[in-house]
Amino acid sequence: LLYELLKVSPEEQQHFYQAHMSGDEGTKASYHDQYFAQTYKSITSHVDYILNELDELGIGLETQIAQGQDKKRHPRLPLIMRHNEFVKGTFDNVRQNLDNMYA
């Protein structure tokens, strides 16, 4: 992610890439420290997007169940719903961990 964020500065992007390829952990850590706020913002935005998508999917699935369409259209709907809840729980944990990192 940091490499992608550094595309606005090709010189820094190349320097970061070289540090990665040569195993220069000190330089990599320096870049990660310097750009922590930007990477944090990008990751939390992605996590929030996924959580929102899962909420919307859940609403759609619940609507299908309420309308009695679930068994005809999706015989594996209960499995899909459990999977989505598992993924949502995982992303909720990731979001909490991210919040703890920035606190």
Side-chain angles (χ1 to χ4, degrees):
L1 176 62
L2 178 54
Y3 181 79
E4 180 67 21
L5 291 174
L6 289 172
K7 70 181 175 185
V8 297
S9 175
E11 184 177 305
E12 283 191 300
Q13 187 183 46
Q14 183 62 31
H15 191 241
F16 179 72
Y17 175 78
Q18 291 300 333
H20 175 73
M21 295 306 289
S22 67
D24 182 350
E25 297 299 323
T27 299
K28 286 173 34 178
S30 176
Y31 272 100
H32 282 290
D33 290 343
Q34 181 180 352
Y35 290 96
F36 178 79
Q38 291 92 327
T39 55
Y40 173 84
K41 181 180 176 184
S42 183
I43 290 171
T44 54
S45 175
H46 172 71
V47 170
D48 290 344
Y49 171 79
I50 296 297
L51 287 170
N52 184 58
E53 288 292 304
L54 288 167
D55 285 341
E56 289 182 13
L57 285 170
I59 292 168
L61 294 174
E62 290 171 7
T63 301
Q64 287 186 23
I65 289 171
Q67 294 175 351
Q69 299 175 0
D70 57 314
K71 292 180 182 174
K72 293 177 186 173
R73 294 183 67 196
H74 300 290
R76 293 190 182 101
L77 190 59
L79 176 64
I80 294 168
M81 291 177 72
R82 285 194 309 271
H83 173 265
N84 288 355
E85 282 302 312
F86 171 77
V87 172
K88 185 175 183 330
T90 301
F91 273 84
D92 282 333
N93 290 338
V94 169
R95 185 62 163 110
Q96 288 176 358
N97 288 340
L98 287 168
D99 289 343
N100 292 337
M101 288 174 63
Y102 206 75

